[in-house]
Each structure stands twice: as structure tokens, then as C-alpha cells.
Amino acid sequence: MRRLVSLRSLGVLLAVLAMAFGAACGREGSPGGQPVAGSPVAQNVQVPGSPVFASMQQRGRLILGVKNDQPGLGIQDPTTGQYTGFDIEIGRMVAAGLGFAPEQIEYRVIPSAAREDAISRGDVDLYVGTYTINDSRKQRVGFAGPYFVAGQDLLVRADDQSITGPQTLQGKRVCSATGSTPIQRVREQNLTQNVVEFQNYSQCVDALRGGQVDAVTTDNAILQGYAAQTPDQLRVVGQTFSEEPYGIGMNRDDVALRNKVNDLLQQAENDGTWTRLYNETLGRSGTPAPQPPPIERY
Ligand code: GLU
């Protein structure tokens, strides 16, 4: 009997050690975190007729607008300062195609609500951060792409069975980011009267964990990254209710730059680079690479 007990406690000890070791090495299947081999930096690039490209060249740096709190897509490691994620890799690939090495990229964090202002003022040259292409935004900024298509979904506490889709949100406290298409849809479709908004989705996720809200709504790709951090606490409902085609935002009138960035996206989709970047970032959470979306030139 005593022997049995000690064997069992040995088993428990081993399990605890294995978990601690697993945690130290990063949770298996959680997206991002690994450096991704870069694309070759193009030489002697010219983009005739692009004022934004001319100013990047003169500066010797490309200012890239990003998010820094969206795991799998765009996240900054607080210790190393390194950015990782699919959006970041798409940005680096485009930068390389324009002749800018990774160390010539200056990252600027811009929340959803400030994107159109930041781009139209010229605070950033390009913006890559879960940025849905739509007609109202096209009045103020230009979009290359789409380079990915997400869909609006819901993140809930893992033990909450009451929320199963957008029609089950009445009376619930729902959090999203200011200036985003998901918060706009919740209001337009009157999915709940109780909307809580923050600048960043990670603040919504904290509120969900703390019990101040019942659901976070935004693109499934973003929510999956948060759920993967603590799968025992958070769960994505998995019923998407919109299409969110992600574009690379830039100056609205710089058509030459838009065409060039579309060429680079097209090439990456054709030669397998797109799939490699997906597999090394978002794909780590277990979702196989989809077909890359067709580029829409306008
Ligand atoms: N893709 C949506 C949007 O552009 C939600 C994600 C975000 O806010 O970045 O509004």
C-alpha cells in the first residue's frame, strides 16, 4: 500500500515537472514566438510615381504601422522587443520586396481607431494589422490585398454555455475595440445594448477574464490567438458572422505604391512564401493554411 502511494506521488511529481517544463518551452500549439526566415531584400527597387516610396528611400527606413497585442498576428515580446505574427511577416516580406531589410523597419503601434488618421497624416508608410478593407475606409486610405480573410466571432469563458452565436448576446456585456468593424456591427445589428469598448482587444480579454464582460467580439483569427494562451479559461465560439478581408493600408492617392505592394503580395501567394509565413505563425495553432485570397486591384 505504501509502495502504491509513493509510486502515485512519483507520478504526480513527474506530471508537475513535465507541465513546468512544457510551460518553460512555450505551450505547444500556441501561435507565434519563433523567428521566421526572412525574404531576400530586393536591390535597386524603383516605384516610379510613388511619393511615399520616395520619402521612405530618402529616410532610409520604412515606417510600418502594426498592432502589438494580437498573438499569432502582431505581438511584441516584452522582454526582447521582437515583433512576431502573420501580419508582421507580411509587412517584412513587403518591406524586403521594396528594398528594406528587417533592421530598416521602424514599427509604430496604432490602435484600430487611429488607423485612418495615422495613414492619411503620413505617420506610417504602410499599415499591416488585421485591417479590414471596406468602402468607407477606402474614402480615406488605400488598400493593397486582401492577404487574408477572417470573420467576426466571439470569445467567451470556457465554462460559459449560454453564448453560442450572435443571436444569444441580448442582455450580455460584449467588449470590442473602438473604431473596429466588429463593434460597428454589434451596434448596427443591435446584438446587445451593453457594449463595452477599449482601444485594444487585449484589454477586452482582461475584462472577460475578470468577469466584467461576458464576451469579446472581433475577428476569429485574433480571438484564436487569445484562446490559445489559456485554452482552459477561454474558448472561441466558432460561428463567424462576417467577412473581414485584411488589407495593407497606405496613402489613398499613392496608386503606384498600391500596385507595387499588390504585385509583391501576388508573388508571395504564387511562389509559396505566403503559405510558409502562414504555417510559421497563425498555422502553429493547428489550423491548416487556407488558399490565399485573390488580390483585388482597384
Ligand atoms: N478587422 C477588423 C477591423 O479592421 C477588426 C480587427 C481590428 O480592429 O483590427 O476593424
Side-chain angles (χ1 to χ4, degrees), residues 67 112 115 129-132 137 180-182 201 218-219 222 244 246:
K67 299 284 187 86
S112 300
R115 292 183 286 211
T130 60
Y131 195 14
T132 295
R137 288 174 177 170
S180 68
T181 51
Y201 297 109
T218 186
D219 305 335
I222 302 174
E244 308 291 329
Y246 289 174

Side-chain angles (χ1 to χ4, degrees), residues 42-293:
Q43 302 297 317
N44 305 318
V45 181
Q46 308 214 359
V47 187
S50 167
V52 175
F53 181 75
S55 83
M56 293 182 216
Q57 271 202 318
Q58 204 179 16
R59 197 194 297 126
R61 278 177 296 120
L62 185 160
I63 304 176
L64 188 64
V66 295
K67 299 284 187 86
N68 68 350
D69 67 337
Q70 299 185 168
L73 289 155
I75 186 142
Q76 187 176 27
D77 185 314
T79 323
T80 63
Q82 275 292 318
Y83 284 91
T84 51
F86 186 63
D87 283 338
I88 302 294
E89 294 306 334
I90 290 287
R92 287 179 181 146
M93 179 275 293
V94 168
L98 292 173
F100 293 84
E103 55 277 13
Q104 290 176 292
I105 301 173
E106 182 182 325
Y107 297 91
R108 205 162 279 180
V109 179
I110 312 280
S112 300
R115 292 183 286 211
E116 287 82 43
D117 278 347
I119 295 166
S120 53
R121 267 201 309 260
D123 292 352
V124 299
D125 299 317
L126 297 174
Y127 185 93
V128 192
T130 60
Y131 195 14
T132 295
I133 304 171
N134 65 31
D135 287 342
S136 85
R137 288 174 177 170
K138 273 184 187 167
Q139 294 180 358
R140 299 196 58 204
V141 303
F143 287 104
Y147 62 90
F148 189 74
V149 182
Q152 184 166 354
D153 209 324
L154 301 165
L155 183 74
V156 296
R157 283 180 294 274
D159 59 2
D160 184 343
Q161 304 302 323
S162 67
I163 299 175
T164 53
Q167 306 315 326
T168 59
L169 294 176
Q170 288 301 331
K172 304 285 187 185
R173 294 159 299 176
V174 177
C175 191
S176 196
T178 310
S180 68
T181 51
I183 203 167
Q184 201 182 338
R185 195 167 291 107
V186 169
R187 292 200 166 114
E188 276 169 12
Q189 299 186 3
N190 223 349
L191 298 177
T192 180
Q193 270 58 265
N194 208 339
V195 181
V196 176
E197 64 182 279
F198 289 112
Q199 287 292 301
N200 302 307
Y201 297 109
S202 52
Q203 296 168 289
C204 285
V205 175
D206 289 344
L208 179 65
R209 286 210 176 91
Q212 293 94 14
V213 302
D214 304 306
V216 180
T217 189
T218 186
D219 305 335
N220 54 353
I222 302 174
L223 298 177
Q224 281 153 7
Y226 294 124
Q229 290 180 322
T230 51
D232 44 339
Q233 289 173 27
L234 303 176
R235 157 176 87 77
V236 179
V237 168
Q239 302 288 332
T240 54
F241 50 104
S242 75
E243 272 208 353
E244 308 291 329
Y246 289 174
I248 301 187
M250 66 189 80
N251 183 290
R252 188 192 62 174
D253 302 321
D254 198 330
V255 181
L257 184 62
R258 177 163 21 113
N259 288 337
K260 175 69 181 176
V261 173
N262 275 330
D263 292 345
L264 293 168
L265 287 173
Q266 186 70 65
Q267 192 189 328
E269 293 193 356
N270 294 348
D271 69 10
T273 302
W274 186 96
T275 304
R276 179 174 65 84
L277 298 180
Y278 176 92
N279 285 338
E280 293 178 17
T281 54
L282 282 179
R284 287 183 184 272
S285 65
T287 316
Q291 274 294 108

